[in-house]
Amino acid sequence: MNQDLTQQWLTEIQVLKEQMAGLQGDRDAAWESAQKWRQLYNTEAEQRRTDAQLSQQAIASLKADLHKLQGLEVEIMAVETPVTAIQQEIEQLKSVEDLQVKLMAVIKERSRLLQALKTEQDNHAQTRNSLTTALGDAIDSLTRERAKGEKESQNNS
């Protein structure tokens, strides 16, 4: 009877070992699966962060374009606006704060236009100098060619 009981215990121990090995395998498989899911989650999160950053950059670019277009709108309005339209715009200003905001916008636009004018004048002066230099070089070259041609004519005569 002792031997039967011992055999029974050994069999049960062997079954428990096999179950434990199976459970350890299941645990390892679950761990690997969790690792894969973590990696997928991290990849997806990184992609979302990248997309969000690109979207923020696109929004900033669009806002800059909008401000630029609004500046052009103000510029066009300033060039093409008749006096009555200007007077109507002034009448719409209700407070000193509104007037200050409008004055700031006008001063900024004036500064931007003055800078653009200065840049254009600098570019014009540089172009004029380049063209003058090129014209001078062409005249010198033509003069040399004529002198060379006259010399050859005299030598042939």
Side-chain angles (χ1 to χ4, degrees):
M1 184 164 205
N2 276 343
Q3 195 162 3
D4 289 337
L5 190 59
T6 304
Q7 187 61 36
Q8 201 176 21
W9 279 99
L10 289 174
T11 305
E12 191 168 333
I13 290 172
Q14 186 62 32
V15 168
L16 289 174
K17 280 184 179 180
E18 290 172 6
Q19 285 179 350
M20 198 164 117
L23 291 174
Q24 285 174 341
D26 291 346
R27 182 202 63 200
D28 293 343
W31 180 258
E32 287 178 26
S33 176
Q35 285 293 96
K36 287 179 186 176
W37 280 108
R38 268 193 284 281
Q39 181 62 35
L40 289 173
Y41 173 80
N42 288 336
T43 302
E44 181 71 19
E46 184 63 32
Q47 182 64 40
R48 297 281 181 208
R49 284 190 288 273
T50 302
D51 289 347
Q53 186 178 15
L54 290 174
S55 295
Q56 288 174 346
Q57 290 173 352
I59 289 170
S61 174
L62 289 172
K63 282 182 179 179
D65 290 346
L66 178 63
H67 288 297
K68 194 180 290 183
L69 289 174
Q70 287 173 340
L72 289 176
E73 184 179 299
V74 169
E75 183 178 326
I76 291 169
M77 187 178 84
V79 172
E80 299 175 358
T81 305
V83 174
T84 55
I86 294 171
Q87 288 173 342
Q88 287 175 350
E89 190 174 338
I90 291 172
E91 289 172 4
Q92 289 177 358
L93 300 174
K94 302 287 185 211
S95 67
V96 173
E97 289 82 19
D98 290 344
L99 182 59
Q100 288 174 337
V101 168
K102 189 66 173 176
L103 181 59
M104 289 290 285
V106 169
I107 289 171
K108 284 180 183 177
E109 182 65 14
R110 177 184 165 273
S111 295
R112 188 185 68 75
L113 291 172
L114 284 174
Q115 183 61 39
L117 176 63
K118 183 181 180 336
T119 301
E120 188 63 31
Q121 288 172 337
D122 291 345
N123 290 340
H124 177 73
Q126 184 178 5
T127 301
R128 185 179 62 237
N129 289 339
S130 297
L131 289 175
T132 302
T133 302
L135 183 59
D137 291 345
I139 290 172
D140 289 345
S141 177
L142 182 60
T143 303
R144 281 190 300 253
E145 288 295 320
R146 283 187 180 164
K148 186 178 173 184
E150 287 176 9
K151 192 184 252 185
E152 287 179 5
S153 296
Q154 289 175 358
N155 287 341
N156 289 339
S157 299

